[in-house]
Amino acid sequence: MPHLTSAVATPSRAPEIQLDPQGMERLRGLVRDHADALVKAFYDVLLEDREAQGFLHHSIVQERLSPSLRTWLIDLFAPGLDVEGKSFIARQTKIGEVHARIKIPMHLVMAGAAVLKGRIADLLADDEARFDQLRLVGERIDAALLLMSQSYVKGTMNRARMDEAYRLFSLDQDIHFERESQRASLMEWSQKTLFRILGAGPNEATSALGRSPFGLWIRHRADFLFEASPHLERLNQAIDRIDEDLLPRIDAGDRAESLTALQAGVEEIAFLLNEMFQGLAGLEGGRDPLTRTLNRRFLSSILSREIGFANANQTPLSVLLLDVDHFKRINDEHGHPAGDEVLRQVAEAVTENVRPSDFVFRYGGEEFLIVLVETTLQQAVAVAERTRQALEARDIKIGGAERLRVTASIGAAEHGGHPDENYLIKTADEALYRAKQAGRNRVEQNG
Amino acid sequence: MPHLTSAVATPSRAPEIQLDPQGMERLRGLVRDHADALVKAFYDVLLEDREAQGFLHHSIVQERLSPSLRTWLIDLFAPGLDVEGKSFIARQTKIGEVHARIKIPMHLVMAGAAVLKGRIADLLADDEARFDQLRLVGERIDAALLLMSQSYVKGTMNRARMDEAYRLFSLDQDIHFERESQRASLMEWSQKTLFRILGAGPNEATSALGRSPFGLWIRHRADFLFEASPHLERLNQAIDRIDEDLLPRIDAGDRAESLTALQAGVEEIAFLLNEMFQGLAGLEGGRDPLTRTLNRRFLSSILSREIGFANANQTPLSVLLLDVDHFKRINDEHGHPAGDEVLRQVAEAVTENVRPSDFVFRYGGEEFLIVLVETTLQQAVAVAERTRQALEARDIKIGGAERLRVTASIGAAEHGGHPDENYLIKTADEALYRAKQAGRNRVEQNG
């Protein structure tokens, strides 16, 4: 029985150019003699990058990474080196893994390697041998980069999966409890600060909101939970205003105005915090809440898996794209609750006519996309036609005694081997367009 | 206020080598004249790869990808090409995105590019210009690969995140319902098949289990849900045995033995299915079920984020590694339930002594790892000491009137700028080792 999981890669490489022993030794000597300058040139490229600056401080580069690169570079031009040998593969693979872990992007390593190639080319003596030497330099660096890239991508994908798992786990925690406890934490800071200002509290030093438990939580938890929220930036600015502007003014004796501003600042932060927590609710559902069909954000994961399966096992695969006819008119004439009920009924009609192994997505406002596994175009058209008729026959109750009849147009397309999922969807969309053009309430195919 | 999110990358490139117009034109003519052979050499490398074969069938390569590569290659040696220009960057970025979507691994593209470089080098005329021509070939191909790699990795990471989100969503569905409905689906196939064999049912053609709704579900859902399960392979083999061995024998008239074997096969499948569903329960918890501390699988995501934050903002960061003293003896003398209670109490003592913004992990059997954000070594040691004393003072009830006292050894380490999270953990582990060596129930630091 065929499986979805794919085999491990075995990359193929070109045979290496051969240098005579003297040419090889000269090349190696040259790299060794200029190793420090080459290493510096490599890291200059990395440190120029804004992204890299954050995690590659100069002292780290000096103390730890530079000596490793130096050894790597000199070893790369060892005369007997076998770029298909186990130890070479293990070493470069390990480097890729480390880069994934410490987040040195592969493209920056490639940029640094391109600079190394250029510098070494500049250093080569102007003689007969230099063409082959340059080829060998390119080949060996490329062989190393290829192996690094392979393990880097694997490590980075694993990391991305884990990051996502953690993010979803965080969202799944008791959000109500978290909201109340952070609100309390903010109020506690505010109260302590007021007592201190009023002279009634213990004579503590000014404690910045950003340094309080609330501030720490915002930096180390909220930044993750509310990644996408536009409120987070405003909340951070409000904290900065309090810490950098208001507290110093209060400490300097300017109380009257500053206290009002402080109160307004804390209220704004509480408001934004609440808004952000509200925004979390329902944000991450895997299903469309109205129709219980799959959320479109999973379409790419699923369809690309199924395309891989179909290509690997030579099994058929089809998709349907269904659009409710005249949906806008239904909404306009009968109101949104009626429109919602129509969408629920359409989803039900679709779901009743497919198998447990198929996938139904809410694709757009009134559009559904259905992935039919191991299904030919002919079979897909039959499913579409059955669904179309089932929907046409439904009496849809919309509040009170009022009943509606709705129809849908459907485009069917079979996967033809093209590895891009967008291509298959586009093909189904073209068929749907023709079904609409031909008068609606019909199925068209595009194979 | 500093943030965890990093800036967009701006990779730096080396200045390009300049060829005279004739040298450039000769190079371009040569690439154009041999374009078909070069394209073939590139795809031969990809199609040699087992992983790539699954998604790159020869017809697809011929019809769609080869012409694109041909154009890309010829355009790459256009005389006026600016590898830092917008249109070049946009084009290569787009290619990387498409490769991520259709899952052409970056390292295979790099392997193909290495072959291209070698072939073009072989084609260069043996004259003065060829050294610079070779440099330019390398530079332009590398410039393109770098941009592709950047967008490929980004696209692949997004895909990995979405795949993981979908996987967790699937696990979160109503697993009990799914189990019963697939068991019913298996039994339905089995019953239909028996009726047909006994001649009592309608005269249907033999329908393979692999083709039944159950078989489809196994291939398109279970393969994903039970990715890691050792039972899945056995279940697939059992289906294959029924379809490829038993059914043909039954159709050929060999009933007696085959029916017994069929019954055994169906029972085995039902058993394995049940086992796999059982294995799902609790598998994916974000927290350790016993101690409610964080699951170790999130450690890398969290610690690497915090290291990035500390490096970017120059804030301190520390970790504690805590090990319960003589835990084995507690288990041996008082039994596992007592050991479990001890672990719960230790977790509670730790949690009560850290802030809401810190992270507590179950790191090993009786080990806990604590990430203390924005905390210096001195502060970390104070937290560790407070925790150690709090634990020492606890009376731990273990069933009935029996009470225990336990202690723990703690190693503290501060992050010193090293970007690898494993390094920080190793440092804390060394401190913990010294605390154990020095007699246990104490805190040691290693900064």
Side-chain angles (χ1 to χ4, degrees):
Chain A
M1 188 180 271
H3 299 274
L4 278 165
T5 41
S6 69
V8 177
T10 338
S12 176
R13 278 178 291 277
E16 192 182 69
I17 194 88
Q18 290 300 316
L19 291 190
D20 63 275
Q22 285 161 336
M24 191 69 228
E25 200 35 67
R26 279 211 313 277
L27 175 59
R28 187 173 206 212
L30 180 149
V31 169
R32 198 168 34 212
D33 292 347
H34 297 84
D36 290 336
L38 291 169
V39 166
K40 188 177 175 309
F42 181 93
Y43 280 112
D44 282 350
V45 174
L46 265 65
L47 289 170
E48 236 176 66
D49 184 87
R50 272 197 300 155
E51 196 185 344
Q53 277 165 8
F55 48 82
L56 287 178
H57 287 282
H58 288 67
S59 62
I60 296 286
V61 170
Q62 292 299 329
E63 288 164 30
R64 305 188 192 277
L65 300 176
S66 290
S68 310
L69 176 62
R70 195 177 193 283
T71 315
W72 174 84
L73 192 59
I74 292 169
D75 291 350
L76 196 59
F77 297 103
L81 182 75
D82 175 11
V83 297
E84 307 211 6
K86 268 190 185 172
S87 71
F88 181 80
I89 292 174
R91 184 169 180 183
Q92 313 308 324
T93 299
K94 172 87 186 164
I95 294 172
E97 284 164 11
V98 171
H99 286 176
R101 199 160 66 230
I102 68 181
K103 297 182 186 166
I104 298 187
M106 188 64 212
H107 72 270
L108 283 187
V109 175
M110 291 166 80
V115 168
L116 284 184
K117 289 176 188 174
R119 292 296 172 97
I120 297 173
D122 287 340
L123 292 170
L124 294 174
D126 188 4
D127 60 23
E128 271 293 297
R130 70 173 185 158
F131 182 77
D132 284 345
Q133 285 172 335
L134 183 62
R135 275 188 77 164
L136 187 119
V137 167
E139 283 176 2
R140 292 215 170 160
I141 290 179
D142 287 353
L145 287 177
L146 185 155
L147 291 161
M148 278 179 212
S149 176
Q150 189 172 9
S151 61
Y152 171 83
V153 169
K154 201 177 151 211
T156 299
M157 279 177 73
N158 285 342
R159 174 173 284 287
R161 288 181 73 141
M162 266 306 123
D163 286 352
E164 179 67 10
Y166 174 60
R167 199 177 67 84
L168 293 174
F169 163 75
S170 304
L171 290 173
D172 200 34
Q173 296 307 291
D174 189 345
I175 292 293
H176 299 293
F177 171 80
E178 198 73 13
R179 184 186 62 195
E180 289 312 300
S181 96
Q182 290 316 312
R183 214 159 62 91
S185 174
L186 171 66
M187 294 311 155
E188 195 184 336
W189 174 87
S190 172
Q191 188 191 277
K192 267 196 197 166
T193 305
L194 288 174
F195 270 116
R196 192 186 55 77
I197 293 170
L198 297 169
N203 195 17
E204 291 175 17
T206 307
S207 164
L209 179 54
R211 305 281 327 151
S212 75
F214 177 77
L216 280 174
W217 186 90
I218 288 290
R219 271 200 297 289
H220 295 273
R221 298 281 164 113
D223 230 11
F224 194 67
L225 269 175
F226 308 118
E227 229 170 16
S229 170
H231 298 311
L232 185 60
E233 182 61 31
R234 278 178 60 200
L235 190 148
N236 277 316
Q237 286 165 357
I239 293 177
D240 285 350
R241 258 199 317 278
I242 287 176
D243 287 345
E244 288 161 22
D245 183 27
L246 290 176
L247 293 183
R249 270 164 53 196
I250 290 168
D251 283 343
D254 170 16
R255 282 198 180 183
E257 261 180 67
S258 311
L259 273 179
T260 319
L262 180 64
Q263 192 184 11
V266 170
E267 271 168 20
E268 186 190 358
I269 291 169
F271 170 78
L272 291 169
L273 187 72
N274 196 42
E275 289 289 297
M276 292 194 302
F277 272 107
Q278 297 252 318
L280 283 184
L283 188 72
E284 292 290 332
R287 294 189 183 277
D288 169 45
L290 178 64
T291 64
R292 305 304 298 151
T293 55
L294 288 165
N295 191 312
R296 185 182 166 149
R297 72 198 178 97
F298 293 145
L299 175 59
S300 179
S301 284
I302 289 168
L303 192 49
S304 125
R305 256 178 101 81
E306 292 299 337
I307 284 176
F309 183 91
N311 284 351
N313 301 295
Q314 297 291 300
T315 48
L317 169 69
S318 296
V319 305
L320 304 178
L321 202 56
L322 179 151
D323 189 274
V324 182
D325 295 329
H326 302 299
F327 185 72
K328 200 183 167 305
R329 198 195 291 166
I330 297 168
N331 259 330
D332 290 348
E333 291 179 7
H334 305 275
H336 281 284
D340 284 354
E341 182 55 26
V342 164
L343 291 175
R344 265 193 295 269
Q345 295 280 333
V346 171
E348 204 177 282
V350 170
T351 308
E352 284 173 6
N353 281 287
V354 299
R355 300 157 300 177
S357 46
D358 297 324
F359 302 86
V360 181
F361 295 89
R362 176 99 183 258
Y363 187 67
E366 69 264 28
E367 274 191 312
F368 295 86
L369 190 143
I370 303 110
V371 176
L372 299 167
V373 303
E374 303 195 29
T375 302
T376 63
L377 183 61
Q378 202 190 349
Q379 293 166 333
V381 168
V383 172
E385 185 55 32
R386 214 163 61 214
T387 306
R388 188 195 64 73
Q389 289 174 16
L391 181 63
E392 194 180 23
R394 280 196 176 219
D395 257 338
I396 301 177
K397 275 196 208 168
I398 46 162
E402 213 178 347
R403 278 154 196 279
L404 262 185
R405 292 276 180 145
V406 290
T407 58
S409 305
I410 307 177
E414 184 174 352
H415 169 60
H418 196 296
D420 192 340
E421 70 231 26
N422 290 357
Y423 185 82
L424 180 56
I425 297 172
K426 205 181 108 231
T427 314
D429 199 26
E430 286 161 6
L432 172 61
Y433 179 79
R434 289 194 290 104
K436 289 275 180 194
Q437 290 296 309
R440 297 190 175 84
N441 189 24
R442 55 189 293 147
V443 177
E444 288 284 340
Q445 56 179 289
N446 204 337
Chain B
M1 190 179 271
H3 299 275
L4 279 165
T5 40
S6 70
V8 178
T10 339
S12 173
R13 277 177 292 276
E16 190 181 70
I17 193 89
Q18 290 300 317
L19 292 191
D20 63 275
Q22 284 159 336
M24 191 69 228
E25 200 34 68
R26 278 211 313 278
L27 175 61
R28 185 174 207 211
L30 181 148
V31 168
R32 198 169 32 212
D33 293 347
H34 296 84
D36 290 336
L38 291 168
V39 166
K40 188 177 174 310
F42 182 93
Y43 281 113
D44 282 349
V45 173
L46 265 65
L47 289 170
E48 237 176 65
D49 183 87
R50 273 196 300 155
E51 197 185 342
Q53 276 165 9
F55 48 82
L56 287 178
H57 288 281
H58 288 68
S59 62
I60 296 288
V61 170
Q62 291 299 330
E63 288 164 30
R64 305 188 192 277
L65 300 177
S66 290
S68 309
L69 177 61
R70 196 179 192 281
T71 314
W72 174 84
L73 192 59
I74 293 169
D75 290 350
L76 197 59
F77 298 103
L81 182 76
D82 174 11
V83 297
E84 307 210 8
K86 267 191 186 171
S87 71
F88 182 80
I89 292 174
R91 185 169 179 182
Q92 313 307 325
T93 298
K94 172 88 185 162
I95 294 172
E97 283 165 10
V98 171
H99 286 177
R101 201 161 64 228
I102 68 179
K103 297 182 185 166
I104 297 186
M106 189 64 211
H107 70 271
L108 283 187
V109 175
M110 291 165 81
V115 168
L116 284 184
K117 289 176 187 172
R119 293 295 172 97
I120 296 173
D122 288 339
L123 293 170
L124 293 174
D126 187 4
D127 61 23
E128 270 294 297
R130 70 173 185 159
F131 181 79
D132 284 345
Q133 284 171 336
L134 183 61
R135 276 188 77 163
L136 186 118
V137 168
E139 284 176 1
R140 292 215 170 160
I141 290 180
D142 287 352
L145 286 177
L146 186 156
L147 292 161
M148 278 180 213
S149 177
Q150 189 172 10
S151 62
Y152 171 83
V153 169
K154 200 176 152 213
T156 299
M157 279 176 74
N158 285 341
R159 174 173 286 284
R161 287 182 74 142
M162 267 304 124
D163 286 352
E164 180 66 9
Y166 173 60
R167 198 178 67 84
L168 294 173
F169 163 74
S170 303
L171 290 173
D172 201 34
Q173 296 308 290
D174 189 345
I175 292 293
H176 299 294
F177 172 80
E178 199 72 12
R179 185 185 61 192
E180 290 311 300
S181 95
Q182 290 315 312
R183 214 159 63 90
S185 173
L186 172 65
M187 293 310 155
E188 194 184 338
W189 175 87
S190 172
Q191 187 190 281
K192 265 196 197 166
T193 306
L194 288 174
F195 270 116
R196 193 187 54 77
I197 293 170
L198 296 168
N203 195 17
E204 289 175 17
T206 308
S207 164
L209 179 54
R211 305 280 327 149
S212 75
F214 177 77
L216 281 173
W217 186 90
I218 288 291
R219 272 200 296 289
H220 296 275
R221 298 282 164 112
D223 232 12
F224 194 67
L225 269 176
F226 307 119
E227 229 169 15
S229 171
H231 297 312
L232 185 60
E233 182 61 31
R234 278 178 60 202
L235 191 148
N236 278 315
Q237 285 164 356
I239 294 176
D240 284 350
R241 259 200 316 280
I242 288 175
D243 288 344
E244 288 161 22
D245 182 27
L246 290 177
L247 292 183
R249 270 164 53 194
I250 290 168
D251 284 342
D254 169 19
R255 283 198 179 181
E257 262 180 67
S258 311
L259 274 178
T260 319
L262 180 64
Q263 194 186 8
V266 169
E267 271 168 21
E268 187 191 357
I269 291 169
F271 170 77
L272 291 169
L273 188 72
N274 196 43
E275 289 289 298
M276 292 193 305
F277 272 108
Q278 296 251 318
L280 284 184
L283 189 73
E284 292 290 333
R287 293 190 185 276
D288 169 45
L290 179 64
T291 64
R292 306 303 299 150
T293 55
L294 288 166
N295 191 312
R296 185 183 165 150
R297 71 197 179 99
F298 293 146
L299 175 58
S300 179
S301 284
I302 290 168
L303 191 50
S304 127
R305 256 178 101 82
E306 290 300 337
I307 284 177
F309 183 91
N311 283 351
N313 301 297
Q314 297 291 303
T315 48
L317 169 70
S318 296
V319 304
L320 304 178
L321 201 56
L322 178 151
D323 188 275
V324 182
D325 294 329
H326 303 299
F327 185 72
K328 201 185 164 304
R329 198 195 290 166
I330 298 169
N331 259 330
D332 290 348
E333 291 179 8
H334 305 275
H336 281 286
D340 285 355
E341 182 55 26
V342 165
L343 291 175
R344 266 192 294 267
Q345 295 280 335
V346 172
E348 205 178 281
V350 170
T351 309
E352 284 173 5
N353 282 286
V354 300
R355 301 156 299 178
S357 47
D358 298 324
F359 301 86
V360 182
F361 294 90
R362 175 99 184 259
Y363 187 67
E366 68 264 29
E367 275 190 313
F368 294 86
L369 191 143
I370 303 109
V371 177
L372 299 167
V373 304
E374 304 194 29
T375 301
T376 63
L377 183 61
Q378 200 190 351
Q379 293 165 332
V381 167
V383 172
E385 187 54 32
R386 212 163 61 214
T387 306
R388 188 195 64 72
Q389 289 174 16
L391 181 63
E392 194 179 23
R394 278 196 179 219
D395 257 337
I396 301 178
K397 275 197 208 168
I398 47 162
E402 216 180 345
R403 277 153 196 281
L404 262 185
R405 291 276 180 146
V406 293
T407 59
S409 305
I410 307 178
E414 183 173 352
H415 169 60
H418 196 295
D420 192 340
E421 69 231 27
N422 289 357
Y423 185 83
L424 180 56
I425 297 172
K426 204 180 108 234
T427 314
D429 199 27
E430 287 161 6
L432 172 60
Y433 179 79
R434 288 193 290 104
K436 289 275 180 193
Q437 290 296 308
R440 297 190 174 86
N441 189 23
R442 56 190 290 144
V443 177
E444 288 284 340
Q445 57 180 9
N446 203 339

